Amino acid sequence: MRRLGASVLGMEAIVVGLATPVMITIGGITPALAVTTGIGLAVFCVIATGLLKRPIGYVLGSVAQVLAIAMGFLVPAMFFLGTIFAALWVTAIIVARRVEGVTSR
């Protein structure tokens, strides 16, 4: 379960980090807000990945999904990308629980 969650959060960290220059150049967002939002959320995803050994990591990962969707207010494409990552996050949790349930018997 941890590997799938880490994969989703790792890729999400890259995408939201790369959204920072998009916010500045295309979105017209001030650099301070763009860096705080984009890089801040990328760091948050990395921290959540590191905490996946504990239940709080999954809570933080879920919060990251909500924040990624909320970034859509700054970069409209993030509504779509955030929803994709949220769907991948939920799918990773569901699939991992099924696999762990099958292998633990």
Side-chain angles (χ1 to χ4, degrees):
M1 190 161 151
R2 195 172 13 172
R3 286 182 185 168
L4 286 174
S7 298
V8 171
L9 287 173
M11 291 304 296
E12 186 171 9
I14 293 168
V15 169
V16 296
L18 290 173
T20 302
V22 174
M23 284 189 270
I24 295 169
T25 56
I26 296 174
I29 307 297
T30 62
L33 178 61
V35 169
T36 302
T37 306
I39 303 301
L41 184 53
V43 169
F44 186 81
C45 288
V46 171
I47 291 170
T49 302
L51 291 173
L52 287 177
K53 297 175 186 173
R54 301 177 181 158
I56 190 69
Y58 294 95
V59 173
L60 293 177
S62 298
V63 170
Q65 305 316 310
V66 172
L67 293 175
I69 294 171
M71 269 184 70
F73 291 108
L74 298 175
V75 178
M78 284 305 295
F79 282 127
F80 175 72
L81 291 172
T83 303
I84 295 287
F85 277 110
L88 288 171
W89 177 254
V90 170
T91 303
I93 290 173
I94 291 170
V95 168
R97 285 189 178 174
R98 284 186 185 164
V99 169
E100 287 177 358
V102 170
T103 59
S104 66
R105 292 183 187 172

